[in-house]
Coordinates of all heavy atoms in Angstrom, one line a residue:
Chain K
Y60 N 46.7 65.7 94.1 CA 46.6 66.3 95.5 C 45.9 67.6 95.5 O 45.8 68.2 96.6 CB 48.0 66.3 96.1 CG 48.6 65.0 96.2 CD1 49.7 64.6 95.4 CD2 48.2 64.1 97.2 CE1 50.3 63.4 95.5 CE2 48.8 62.8 97.3 CZ 49.8 62.5 96.4 OH 50.4 61.3 96.6
E61 N 45.5 68.2 94.4 CA 44.9 69.5 94.3 C 45.7 70.6 95.0 O 45.2 71.5 95.6 CB 43.5 69.4 94.9 CG 42.5 68.6 94.1 CD 41.1 68.6 94.6 OE1 40.7 69.7 95.3 OE2 40.4 67.7 94.4
M120 N 37.9 90.0 95.6 CA 37.4 88.8 96.3 C 37.8 88.7 97.7 O 37.4 87.8 98.4 CB 37.8 87.5 95.5 CG 39.3 87.2 95.6 SD 39.7 85.6 94.9 CE 39.4 85.8 93.1
P130 N 42.5 94.9 114.2 CA 43.6 95.4 113.4 C 45.0 95.1 113.9 O 45.9 95.2 113.1 CB 43.3 96.9 113.5 CG 42.3 97.2 114.4 CD 41.6 95.9 114.8
K131 N 45.1 94.6 115.1 CA 46.5 94.3 115.5 C 47.1 93.1 114.8 O 48.3 92.9 114.7 CB 46.5 94.1 117.0 CG 45.7 92.9 117.6 CD 46.0 92.8 119.1 CE 45.2 91.7 119.7 NZ 43.8 92.1 119.9
A137 N 53.0 92.0 108.9 CA 54.3 92.7 108.7 C 55.5 91.8 109.1 O 56.5 91.7 108.4 CB 54.3 94.0 109.5
F144 N 63.4 89.2 103.7 CA 64.8 89.8 103.9 C 65.8 88.8 104.4 O 67.0 89.0 104.2 CB 64.6 91.1 104.8 CG 63.7 92.1 104.1 CD1 62.4 92.2 104.4 CD2 64.2 92.9 103.0 CE1 61.5 93.1 103.7 CE2 63.4 93.7 102.4 CZ 62.1 93.9 102.7
V148 N 69.3 88.5 102.6 CA 70.6 88.4 103.2 C 71.4 87.2 102.7 O 72.6 87.3 102.4 CB 70.5 88.4 104.7 CG1 71.8 88.1 105.4 CG2 69.9 89.8 105.2
Q152 N 74.9 86.7 100.3 CA 76.1 85.9 100.7 C 76.4 84.8 99.7 O 77.5 84.3 99.6 CB 75.9 85.3 102.1 CG 75.6 86.3 103.2 CD 76.5 87.5 103.1 OE1 77.7 87.4 103.0 NE2 75.9 88.7 103.0
E156 N 73.8 89.6 93.0 CA 73.8 91.0 93.1 C 72.7 91.5 93.9 O 71.6 90.8 94.0 CB 73.7 91.6 91.7 CG 74.8 91.3 90.8 CD 76.1 92.1 91.1 OE1 76.0 93.4 91.2 OE2 77.1 91.5 91.4
R225 N 34.3 91.1 116.0 CA 33.0 91.8 116.0 C 32.6 92.0 114.5 O 33.3 91.8 113.6 CB 33.2 93.2 116.6 CG 34.0 94.1 115.9 CD 34.2 95.4 116.5 NE 35.2 96.2 115.8 CZ 34.9 97.0 114.7 NH1 33.6 97.0 114.3 NH2 35.8 97.6 114.0
E231 N 33.1 101.0 107.5 CA 34.5 100.6 107.8 C 35.1 99.9 106.6 O 36.3 100.1 106.2 CB 34.6 99.7 109.0 CG 34.4 100.5 110.3 CD 34.3 99.5 111.5 OE1 35.3 99.3 112.1 OE2 33.2 99.0 111.8
F235 N 38.4 101.2 104.4 CA 39.6 100.4 104.5 C 40.5 100.5 103.2 O 41.6 100.9 103.2 CB 39.4 98.9 104.8 CG 40.7 98.2 105.0 CD1 41.4 98.3 106.2 CD2 41.2 97.4 104.0 CE1 42.6 97.6 106.4 CE2 42.4 96.7 104.2 CZ 43.1 96.8 105.3
L242 N 47.5 105.6 102.5 CA 48.6 105.5 103.5 C 49.8 104.7 103.0 O 50.9 105.2 103.0 CB 48.0 104.7 104.8 CG 49.0 104.6 105.9 CD1 49.3 105.9 106.5 CD2 48.6 103.5 106.9
L246 N 53.5 106.2 101.5 CA 54.7 105.8 102.2 C 55.6 105.1 101.1 O 56.8 105.4 101.1 CB 54.3 104.8 103.3 CG 55.3 104.4 104.3 CD1 55.7 105.7 105.1 CD2 54.8 103.4 105.3
P354 N 44.2 81.6 100.2 CA 43.9 81.5 101.6 C 44.6 80.2 102.2 O 44.3 79.9 103.3 CB 42.4 81.3 101.6 CG 42.1 80.5 100.4 CD 43.2 80.8 99.4
R358 N 44.3 78.4 106.0 CA 43.7 77.1 106.1 C 44.6 76.2 106.9 O 44.1 75.3 107.7 CB 43.4 76.5 104.7 CG 42.2 75.8 104.6 CD 41.8 75.5 103.2 NE 42.9 75.0 102.5 CZ 43.1 75.1 101.2 NH1 42.1 75.7 100.5 NH2 44.1 74.7 100.5
I362 N 43.7 74.0 110.2 CA 43.9 72.5 110.2 C 44.8 72.1 111.4 O 44.5 71.2 112.1 CB 44.4 72.0 108.9 CG1 43.3 72.2 107.8 CG2 44.9 70.6 108.9 CD1 43.8 72.1 106.4
M378 N 42.7 84.6 108.7 CA 42.5 85.4 107.5 C 43.0 86.9 107.7 O 43.4 87.5 106.7 CB 41.1 85.4 107.0 CG 40.6 84.2 106.3 SD 41.6 83.7 104.9 CE 41.1 84.9 103.7
G397 N 62.0 100.4 95.0 CA 62.5 101.8 95.2 C 64.0 101.9 95.5 O 64.7 102.7 94.9
F398 N 64.5 100.9 96.3 CA 65.9 101.0 96.6 C 66.8 100.4 95.5 O 67.9 100.8 95.2 CB 66.2 100.2 97.9 CG 65.8 100.9 99.1 CD1 65.2 100.3 100.2 CD2 66.2 102.2 99.3 CE1 64.9 101.0 101.3 CE2 65.9 103.0 100.4 CZ 65.2 102.3 101.5
G400 N 65.7 99.3 92.2 CA 65.2 99.4 90.8 C 66.0 100.5 90.0 O 66.7 101.3 90.5
Chain X
K199 N 72.9 103.3 92.8 CA 72.2 102.8 93.9 C 72.8 101.4 94.3 O 73.0 101.1 95.5 CB 70.7 102.7 93.6 CG 70.0 104.0 93.8 CD 68.5 103.8 93.9 CE 67.9 103.5 92.5 NZ 66.4 103.5 92.6
K204 N 76.2 97.6 97.5 CA 77.3 96.6 97.5 C 78.4 97.1 98.4 O 79.0 96.3 99.2 CB 77.8 96.4 96.1 CG 77.0 95.3 95.4 CD 77.1 95.2 94.0 CE 78.3 95.0 93.2 NZ 78.1 94.8 91.8
A208 N 76.9 95.1 102.4 CA 77.2 93.8 101.8 C 76.4 92.7 102.4 O 76.1 91.7 101.8 CB 78.7 93.5 101.9
W209 N 76.1 92.8 103.7 CA 75.3 91.7 104.4 C 73.8 91.9 104.2 O 73.1 91.0 104.6 CB 75.7 91.7 105.8 CG 77.0 91.1 106.1 CD1 78.3 91.6 106.0 CD2 77.3 89.7 106.4 NE1 79.3 90.7 106.2 CE2 78.7 89.5 106.4 CE3 76.4 88.6 106.5 CZ2 79.2 88.3 106.7 CZ3 77.0 87.4 106.8 CH2 78.4 87.2 106.9
A217 N 63.8 98.3 105.3 CA 62.5 97.8 104.6 C 61.5 97.3 105.6 O 60.3 97.6 105.5 CB 62.9 96.7 103.6
M218 N 62.0 96.5 106.6 CA 61.1 96.0 107.6 C 60.5 97.1 108.4 O 59.3 97.1 108.8 CB 61.8 94.9 108.5 CG 62.0 93.6 107.9 SD 60.5 92.8 107.3 CE 59.5 92.5 108.7
G224 N 54.1 101.2 108.1 CA 52.9 101.3 107.3 C 51.8 100.6 107.9 O 50.7 101.1 108.1
I227 N 50.6 102.1 111.3 CA 49.8 103.3 111.2 C 48.3 102.9 110.8 O 47.3 103.4 111.3 CB 50.3 104.3 110.2 CG1 51.7 104.8 110.7 CG2 49.4 105.5 110.0 CD1 52.4 105.7 109.6
L228 N 48.3 101.9 109.9 CA 47.0 101.4 109.5 C 46.2 100.8 110.7 O 45.0 100.9 110.9 CB 47.2 100.3 108.4 CG 46.1 100.1 107.4 CD1 45.8 101.4 106.7 CD2 46.5 99.1 106.3
Y229 N 47.0 100.1 111.5 CA 46.4 99.5 112.8 C 45.9 100.6 113.7 O 44.8 100.5 114.2 CB 47.5 98.7 113.4 CG 47.4 98.4 114.9 CD1 46.2 97.8 115.4 CD2 48.4 98.8 115.8 CE1 46.1 97.6 116.8 CE2 48.2 98.6 117.2 CZ 47.1 98.0 117.7 OH 47.0 97.8 119.0
F232 N 42.7 102.1 112.2 CA 41.5 101.3 112.2 C 41.1 100.9 113.6 O 40.0 100.6 113.9 CB 41.7 100.1 111.3 CG 41.3 100.5 109.9 CD1 42.2 101.0 109.0 CD2 39.9 100.4 109.5 CE1 41.8 101.4 107.8 CE2 39.5 100.8 108.3 CZ 40.4 101.3 107.4
A236 N 37.4 101.7 114.6 CA 36.6 100.7 115.2 C 35.9 101.3 116.4 O 34.7 101.1 116.6 CB 37.4 99.5 115.7
S239 N 33.2 103.5 115.3 CA 32.1 102.7 114.7 C 31.2 102.1 115.8 O 30.0 102.1 115.7 CB 32.7 101.6 113.8 OG 31.7 100.8 113.3
W299 N 32.8 85.1 103.8 CA 33.4 84.1 104.7 C 32.7 82.7 104.4 O 33.3 81.7 104.6 CB 33.1 84.5 106.1 CG 34.0 85.6 106.6 CD1 33.7 86.8 106.9 CD2 35.4 85.5 106.7 NE1 34.7 87.6 107.2 CE2 35.9 86.8 107.1 CE3 36.4 84.6 106.5 CZ2 37.2 87.1 107.3 CZ3 37.7 84.9 106.7 CH2 38.1 86.1 107.1
Y304 N 34.3 81.8 96.3 CA 35.2 82.9 96.1 C 36.5 82.8 96.8 O 37.5 83.4 96.3 CB 34.5 84.2 96.6 CG 33.3 84.6 95.7 CD1 32.1 84.9 96.3 CD2 33.4 84.5 94.3 CE1 31.0 85.2 95.5 CE2 32.3 84.8 93.5 CZ 31.1 85.2 94.1 OH 30.1 85.5 93.3
S305 N 36.6 82.2 97.9 CA 37.8 82.3 98.7 C 38.5 81.0 99.0 O 39.7 81.0 99.1 CB 37.6 83.1 100.0 OG 36.6 82.4 100.7
L306 N 37.7 79.9 99.1 CA 38.4 78.7 99.6 C 38.1 77.5 98.7 O 37.1 77.4 98.1 CB 37.9 78.4 101.0 CG 38.1 79.4 102.1 CD1 37.4 78.9 103.3 CD2 39.6 79.5 102.4
R307 N 39.1 76.7 98.6 CA 38.9 75.4 97.9 C 39.0 74.4 99.0 O 39.4 74.6 100.1 CB 39.9 75.2 96.9 CG 39.8 76.2 95.7 CD 40.8 75.7 94.6 NE 42.0 75.2 95.2 CZ 43.0 76.0 95.6 NH1 42.9 77.3 95.4 NH2 44.1 75.5 96.1
Y309 N 40.6 71.4 101.0 CA 41.9 71.0 101.4 C 42.4 69.9 100.5 O 41.6 69.0 100.2 CB 42.0 70.7 102.9 CG 43.4 70.4 103.3 CD1 44.3 71.4 103.3 CD2 43.7 69.2 103.8 CE1 45.6 71.2 103.7 CE2 45.0 68.9 104.2 CZ 46.0 69.9 104.2 OH 47.2 69.7 104.6
P310 N 43.6 69.9 100.0 CA 44.1 68.9 99.1 C 43.8 67.5 99.7 O 44.1 67.3 100.9 CB 45.6 69.2 99.0 CG 45.7 70.6 99.2 CD 44.6 70.9 100.2
R311 N 43.3 66.6 98.8 CA 43.1 65.2 99.3 C 44.4 64.5 99.5 O 45.4 64.8 98.8 CB 42.3 64.5 98.3 CG 40.9 64.9 98.1 CD 40.1 63.9 97.4 NE 40.7 63.6 96.1 CZ 40.3 64.2 95.0 NH1 39.4 65.2 95.0 NH2 40.9 63.9 93.8

Side-chain angles (χ1 to χ4, degrees):
Chain K
Y60 298 106
E61 293 187 25
M120 67 172 72
K131 62 175 174 285
F144 299 100
V148 168
Q152 301 318 306
E156 292 290 306
R225 69 181 173 85
E231 288 174 90
F235 186 79
L242 181 73
L246 196 62
R358 217 168 44 205
I362 289 161
M378 282 305 286
F398 280 136
Chain X
K199 277 197 283 187
K204 274 167 50 176
W209 282 84
M218 282 306 293
I227 298 172
L228 209 55
Y229 156 59
F232 273 89
S239 177
W299 286 114
Y304 292 132
S305 56
L306 298 173
R307 293 189 319 278
Y309 184 63
R311 290 195 305 268

